[in-house]
Amino acid sequence: MKQPQGAENFIAEQKKILSENSECASSSYNLGVGLMEQGRLDEAIDAFNDAIDNSGRMFEGYVNLGYIYFKKGDLEMVVESNKRAIEIEPRYARGYANLGFAYLQMSMTDEAIEALSKGIELNPDMVQAWSNLVNAYLQKGDVEQAIETGKKLVALAPDFALGHNNLASAYYNNDDYQKAIEHLDTAVSLGFEPHPEFLKVLETYR
């Protein structure tokens, strides 16, 4: 894929600034963003680490590192990067949400619930965090909390298809098949493609 000339020029320009002043954190950061957008993830990691080394407050650098490590499938480094981001910026809701998602993938359920709950407390509008919290309660086996959380989510975002799917899953786990069908149908009507097995299992209760 040919890169647009603008991006190449931008990267060259940031490298030039850095060669003249290697401790310019914002140029390292900008370089990292340019490289990340081109998919040059390993080079971007180096640039963001340089930015962080040269600025004690470079919380955005950690945020982007978290995203890159997520793309690379390194969940432990996703956790590490987002922990550092929220140490610097304790009111950064998305950092807690990212942390919670990583913990959920690692089956560290209690940590996931704590981080997601904190993220939602800071920013109640993060529908993806609510959705992950439903899954975290299901992972823990706390079906009642999963249902309560799912109900809050669909009240907050009635057109969020994944939310209805997750609430359907919670109701199914509570043997409330009619409500599960109702929310699964809503999810489908909003364009969601549920797991074929889930569709098949609920078919028997229609």
Side-chain angles (χ1 to χ4, degrees):
M1 179 178 120
K2 182 152 175 24
Q3 289 300 338
Q5 192 53 39
E8 282 301 340
N9 287 347
F10 177 76
I11 289 171
E13 188 63 26
Q14 300 307 319
K15 284 185 171 168
K16 181 170 179 290
I17 295 169
L18 284 168
S19 70
E20 290 158 10
N21 174 13
S22 64
E23 296 198 358
C24 181
S26 64
S27 288
S28 294
Y29 176 80
N30 291 339
L31 177 61
V33 171
L35 291 164
M36 184 170 75
E37 285 171 353
Q38 288 197 352
R40 291 155 68 177
L41 300 184
D42 291 326
E43 291 173 76
I45 288 172
D46 291 340
F48 287 129
N49 280 324
D50 284 344
I52 288 161
D53 289 342
N54 292 319
S55 164
R57 300 279 310 160
M58 184 58 79
F59 109 97
E60 298 94 339
Y62 283 117
V63 172
N64 284 324
L65 282 175
Y67 172 75
I68 291 172
Y69 285 121
F70 172 69
K71 296 280 278 186
K72 289 169 76 74
D74 187 341
L75 291 170
E76 283 177 11
M77 286 304 291
V78 174
V79 166
E80 185 59 34
S81 302
N82 281 287
K83 270 186 174 172
R84 298 302 293 274
I86 57 185
E87 274 170 25
I88 297 169
E89 192 58 71
R91 298 199 59 74
Y92 177 55
R94 178 74 53 197
Y96 288 100
N98 293 344
L99 197 53
F101 176 73
Y103 282 138
L104 185 62
Q105 300 299 306
M106 295 161 83
S107 298
M108 295 170 68
T109 314
D110 288 334
E111 291 85 345
I113 289 169
E114 188 182 340
L116 290 163
S117 299
K118 178 70 177 170
I120 287 166
E121 183 189 315
L122 290 168
N123 177 5
D125 295 329
M126 290 190 300
V127 290
Q128 197 62 55
W130 282 99
S131 182
N132 287 329
L133 187 56
V134 176
N135 287 337
Y137 281 124
L138 285 175
Q139 197 176 72
K140 190 181 168 75
D142 189 342
V143 177
E144 279 180 26
Q145 274 295 345
I147 289 171
E148 281 313 302
T149 306
K151 280 157 74 172
K152 286 178 189 166
L153 167 57
V154 299
L156 172 76
D159 294 335
F160 183 50
L162 180 60
H164 286 281
N165 178 74
N166 291 1
L167 181 53
S169 185
Y171 276 128
Y172 173 77
N173 278 279
N174 203 39
D175 301 332
D176 192 337
Y177 303 119
Q178 287 324 111
K179 283 207 167 116
I181 288 166
E182 184 187 315
H183 283 283
L184 191 70
D185 287 351
T186 303
V188 171
S189 75
L190 290 166
F192 187 79
E193 286 188 25
H195 196 286
E197 283 300 310
F198 192 32
L199 278 174
K200 204 158 82 179
V201 167
L202 281 181
E203 202 55 49
T204 53
Y205 297 101
R206 287 185 187 273

